[in-house]
Amino acid sequence: MSGAGTAVRTLAVLCPDWEVVAAGFEAADPRPVAVVRANRVVATNAAARADDVVVGARRREAQGRCPDLLIVAHDPARDARAFEPVVAALATLTPRVEITEPGVCSFATRGPSRYFGGDEALAQRAAAAAAGAVSAGPDLDVRVGVADGPLVARLAATRAGRGRPRVVPPGTAAAFLAPAPLAALAAFVPDPDVLDTWERLGLTTIGEVGALPSGAVVARFGPAGQWVHRLARGLDPQLLRPEPVPPDVTVAADLDPPAERAEAVAFLARTLAEELVDRLGGWGLACTQVVVIAHTEHGETHERCWRLDGPARASGAPRSLAAAIADRARWQVDGWLSGPAATRPTAGVSRLVLAPGSVEPARGRQLGFWGGEAGAGERVVRAVARLEGLVGPDAVRVAEARGGRRSGDEVGLVPTAAVDVSVAREVALTFGAAPWPGRLPAPSPSVVHRPARPAEVLDAEGRSVEVTGRGEVRRPPHTVRVEADPPHDVVAWAGPWPVDQRWWDAEAHERRARLQVVTDQGVALLLGRADGSWWVDAVYA
Amino acid sequence: MFDTRGVSPSPTRAEAAALAELDPRVRPLTLAAERTLPVLPALGALLPAGLPRGATLAVSGSAGRSFAVALLAAASRAGSWVAVVGAPGFGWRAAAELGLDLARVVVVDPVPPAVVPECLGALVDGFDAVLLGAEARVPGASARRLAARARERGTVLVAVVEPWFSSGTRERAAQGPLADVADLRALVEGEGWGGLGSGFGRLGGRQVAVELEGRRLPGRRRQSRLWLPGPEGAVAPVEAPHLEVLGRHAPTPPVRSTA
């Protein structure tokens, strides 16, 4: 790490639409492809974008815009595994390649640039090595950028062409960024809300923010403002003061017998990751980079450096950080063990080492405040995945607000596969506010029969109770009989409340008169009269 | 180092109350008795310390379903995930009125009988609370294992027996799922609905008598009278309790045996 403020000269390698490429499609595939996670598009290729398929769209909406869209399920492990050859090719140029995320990696250019004769020459070499990383098949679409600081290098890579690296000369990062729109930072800035605020204030480019006085930006917009401002002035926004990595926090464990498959390593990786996070937590630190080293019985070693970004680090919860580290260790071992024959180890993995690459002061929660619920969402995600395997994906569902007149219409159930359970959802049940005239007021029945159970409602003389066309009951109900159960006397009743809905749709049209009754056993029922017969619609149990 | 400008030196009463509430939660040490899920204030008389984690509850009586939902409402508001299994026709709106946070509820339905124990095992591992309806038939041997697993994982199991229209009525109530292995047993009987006349009015609230007993309960037995649901669908304690209810079952009308 260099001194305070100045950014480390970095080369970034970026594979556009990596999720699509990793799924086995060529970069310039003419077929439109979308990668979908939890029913939302997370990545597309150029052909899909030409049809207006946007990231974040619902799967159904994307298919509506582009009927011949190919849908692929998102698999982070596959992305990481497929990226391993690219990293291996770059590792021939420099020993320490940092994998920012599958599809993006970077390394410091100070040494290799001098060795290979300048940034331009190094960038050309890196582009050639990465593009030819997958020996079988055509060259990968790789973009290379060199600039001061990893983030600027990454942004430079997005501006680079295929085979034409973009090199931003030292000290000109600010000039390079100045004309770029603020939206380019949306995925990186710690608090994206600040970008919205600026846009509404009329600041549209990074340069315009950089031109503001530093003190004013910090005072008004806090750390996120400072972050962008430092970036706009060509300084490294990430680390104001790099923390030294404390001694003795590296964790390691042996595998006996050696693991031939990544699954066997995953369990150990989880335990090690928790220990690493624990040890760093003891120093009040959290890691931003983790180095995963795997050894085999035959002395082969595989070392990769992963940057930890995204939700796991932002949430600051030790458990999710540990899970993110464990995921990366598993991906790496998986990529190594299932890689091409030339690089695959000759024996199983016998030792796993996790070391912190760089650290920052821990900002995370230290305890689960609300009774240890930290990680509850993650446990639920795992349980849901298991249940889907046991009972089928359509039998595991969550509620979604819909609205309606009849009991049970207000809430619909959608399979958990269609929603992201791990993030907080809002089931905004604005029952009181939604305009559904004719709906029965609270309290609502706690058991809703769908379909309704056939019933008989008799008057004092044993004749079926009729509801007139004007919605009146001529003879009061006296007994209720439900299927084979013995009849129950009615002690109180009210209604009927007619509902005539969806008359525009022959199939869904419903004319129903509803009656609330309380039986001599103290049970309250919601009865419905439709098509000349009585039904138990719901029970107030 | 710290930004103290927005913090007033002495907390107001509301802040002090919030701090006092927060204090027990952020203490690093938790005693076994403190490992609880929160319950609604109206249920404070029954479970003053909250719902003990890892406990198995068997709930029976004509208002069992509502009571079971009400038990888990505050926990779901506080961030716990609740699974509902084997309870067809779950009244979502009623659950929301009782205070359950529907965003943290997962329903598993239908469950093939062959995989019920396995499915419940997965639920106990993943969720903070599991509500079992009458359709989730747990064989005797696996019931004990399930309760032990829930105790180890700190998951609250609430098994409901629904007497109404589930054939067999009260005889089966005593032997509902997990009734034998339950740490706590609750009998929740409706004592009458308000608001409904002969042809007029609408259902208002219902008074229920709750009797809670179990070996993990100090004093073994607690009783309470509640509005379940109250006129707005929420739970509320009955303001003037009937004194003579203590020590006696709430009156239960006999089941008519013949037509």
Side-chain angles (χ1 to χ4, degrees):
Chain A
M1 289 290 157
S2 59
T6 52
V8 182
R9 190 102 182 121
T10 306
L11 182 145
V13 176
L14 174 86
C15 299
D17 307 330
W18 181 250
E19 289 89 346
V20 177
V21 177
F25 296 91
E26 280 174 38
D29 204 302
R31 296 169 294 177
V33 183
V35 180
V36 173
R37 174 167 187 272
N39 216 27
R40 297 270 178 185
V41 174
V42 294
T44 54
N45 67 354
R49 279 193 293 275
D51 279 338
D52 282 338
V53 176
V54 292
V55 169
R58 276 176 187 268
R59 175 197 176 124
R60 185 66 60 85
E61 189 188 339
Q63 283 171 324
R65 288 180 180 189
C66 177
D68 48 356
L69 185 68
L70 294 169
I71 301 276
V72 188
H74 186 219
D75 179 3
R78 178 185 62 205
D79 295 348
R81 198 166 51 228
F83 199 53
E84 169 60 24
V86 177
V87 182
L90 291 171
T92 59
L93 304 177
T94 176
R96 177 60 71 89
V97 180
E98 178 202 270
I99 306 168
T100 313
E101 60 189 62
V104 183
C105 61
S106 59
F107 56 85
T109 63
R110 211 172 72 126
S113 179
R114 242 191 336 220
Y115 181 80
F116 289 109
D119 286 343
E120 190 74 45
L122 175 68
Q124 290 290 358
R125 262 175 192 275
V134 182
S135 47
D139 280 3
L140 290 170
D141 181 4
V142 183
R143 313 293 166 99
V144 175
V146 184
D148 299 344
L151 183 56
V152 185
R154 185 170 172 177
L155 292 170
T158 61
R159 299 292 165 88
R162 194 170 178 173
R164 282 181 294 106
R166 178 74 186 257
V167 178
V168 179
T172 62
F176 166 72
L177 288 175
L182 278 171
L185 298 177
F188 312 107
V189 66
D191 173 18
D193 290 348
V194 75
L195 299 181
D196 276 355
T197 313
W198 282 333
E199 220 139 89
R200 272 181 279 132
L201 290 171
L203 299 170
T204 52
T205 64
I206 299 175
E208 283 169 356
V209 175
L212 298 172
S214 166
V217 172
V218 177
R220 172 67 181 79
F221 300 104
Q226 186 182 27
W227 191 93
V228 178
H229 194 260
R230 282 184 65 86
L231 185 72
R233 283 185 302 149
L235 302 172
D236 186 2
Q238 294 280 2
L239 288 170
L240 298 181
R241 186 166 56 86
E243 294 276 337
V245 177
D248 296 336
V249 288
T250 300
V251 291
D254 291 315
L255 284 122
D256 189 24
E260 303 279 350
R261 286 154 50 83
E263 285 74 24
V265 181
F267 186 72
L268 179 73
R270 183 64 204 242
T271 322
L272 279 181
E274 269 166 17
E275 198 184 332
L276 176 68
V277 170
D278 248 24
R279 285 195 188 181
L280 282 172
W283 291 82
L285 298 171
C287 52
T288 54
Q289 263 184 348
V290 64
V291 182
V292 181
I293 308 158
H295 298 276
T296 68
E297 282 181 300
H298 293 178
E300 292 146 311
T301 305
H302 190 261
E303 178 180 335
R304 290 284 176 264
C305 172
W306 298 82
R307 175 156 283 275
L308 296 162
D309 267 329
R313 207 174 115 208
S315 82
R319 285 188 63 123
S320 54
L321 190 60
I325 294 172
D327 273 348
R328 277 151 186 82
R330 196 188 73 225
W331 295 343
Q332 177 181 327
V333 172
D334 194 16
W336 192 29
L337 293 179
S338 63
T343 58
R344 202 183 301 153
T346 55
V349 174
S350 61
R351 187 174 171 79
L352 187 68
V353 182
L354 300 182
S358 64
V359 293
E360 62 174 7
R363 297 160 296 148
R365 295 176 298 211
Q366 302 212 338
L367 290 164
F369 262 31
W370 312 111
E373 265 72 31
E378 182 197 322
R379 263 170 64 209
V380 168
V381 170
R382 276 207 302 270
V384 162
R386 173 114 194 271
L387 288 163
E388 283 171 352
L390 279 172
V391 297
D394 289 340
V396 187
R397 288 171 294 177
V398 291
E400 194 177 76
R402 281 187 189 157
R405 282 185 188 83
R406 276 186 66 185
S407 311
D409 279 353
E410 299 97 345
V411 171
L413 293 177
V414 290
T416 40
V419 293
D420 196 348
V421 185
S422 59
V423 298
R425 282 182 321 126
E426 283 283 329
V427 184
L429 295 166
T430 48
F431 292 130
W436 290 103
R439 202 189 49 201
L440 295 182
S444 302
S446 54
V447 179
V448 180
H449 291 311
R450 278 294 169 87
R453 307 184 59 171
E456 276 181 76
V457 181
L458 309 171
D459 66 4
E461 282 141 45
R463 290 171 299 177
S464 183
V465 171
E466 304 283 333
V467 178
T468 67
R470 289 172 172 269
E472 286 169 350
V473 173
R474 285 279 159 76
R475 300 182 300 271
H478 187 263
T479 48
V480 177
R481 189 205 295 264
V482 183
E483 290 177 356
D485 285 0
H488 299 272
D489 287 343
V490 173
V491 296
W493 64 279
W497 298 287
V499 62
D500 188 350
Q501 63 175 350
R502 304 200 182 111
W503 39 263
W504 55 88
D505 181 346
E507 297 219 337
H509 180 210
E510 179 178 49
R511 248 174 87 89
R512 203 174 191 88
R514 292 155 303 166
L515 207 62
Q516 282 180 337
V517 302
V518 176
T519 71
D520 57 348
Q521 294 202 13
V523 176
L525 301 175
L526 182 65
L527 301 172
R529 170 97 174 162
D531 305 326
S533 38
W534 284 101
W535 308 88
V536 178
D537 285 350
V539 184
Y540 296 82
Chain B
M1 183 167 183
F2 297 108
D3 180 13
T4 53
R5 277 171 302 170
V7 183
S8 57
S10 60
T12 64
R13 188 169 299 170
E15 282 167 356
L19 280 174
E21 195 182 302
L22 208 59
D23 176 53
R25 295 185 188 281
V26 296
R27 252 182 312 184
L29 179 77
T30 39
L31 302 173
E34 290 167 352
R35 291 184 58 232
T36 57
L37 295 178
V39 293
L40 293 172
L43 303 178
L46 285 169
L47 294 158
L51 204 51
R53 278 174 173 271
T56 304
L57 281 97
V59 181
S60 57
S62 62
R65 175 78 77 96
S66 298
F67 183 73
V69 172
L71 267 180
L72 303 177
S76 84
R77 296 250 148 203
S80 293
W81 280 82
V82 177
V84 177
V85 58
F90 190 76
W92 289 97
R93 191 163 165 221
E97 284 165 3
L98 286 169
L100 199 70
D101 184 355
L102 302 192
R104 288 206 189 78
V105 180
V106 173
V107 183
V108 188
D109 183 56
V111 182
V115 296
V116 164
E118 224 180 330
C119 176
L120 291 176
L123 286 171
V124 164
D125 284 353
F127 287 79
D128 297 304
V130 181
L131 197 157
L132 286 111
E135 299 284 303
R137 307 248 154 86
V138 190
S142 53
R144 198 165 297 279
R145 235 175 297 134
L146 185 67
R149 193 158 169 182
R151 200 167 302 130
E152 184 202 333
R153 295 275 172 173
T155 302
V156 174
L157 276 178
V158 181
V160 193
V161 182
E162 279 140 311
W164 179 244
F165 295 150
S166 58
S167 74
T169 60
R170 273 176 229 296
E171 284 75 13
R172 257 198 46 211
Q175 352 160 325
L178 304 177
D180 296 340
V181 295
D183 305 305
L184 294 165
R185 267 173 279 274
L187 180 69
V188 193
E189 286 293 355
E191 298 196 319
W193 283 88
L196 211 58
S198 319
F200 56 87
R202 63 175 170 88
L203 277 183
R206 167 179 55 183
Q207 280 198 17
V208 299
V210 186
E211 202 178 285
L212 191 68
E213 56 161 357
R215 47 199 160 80
R216 287 174 73 170
L217 211 61
R220 308 273 299 187
R221 178 170 290 207
R222 292 218 185 95
Q223 280 161 325
S224 174
R225 288 162 56 80
L226 302 169
W227 284 102
L228 183 72
E232 292 306 316
V235 199
V238 174
E239 294 301 338
H242 290 223
L243 293 173
E244 88 278 12
V245 170
L246 285 169
R248 216 190 74 192
H249 273 269
T252 49
V255 181
R256 281 169 52 151
S257 51
T258 52

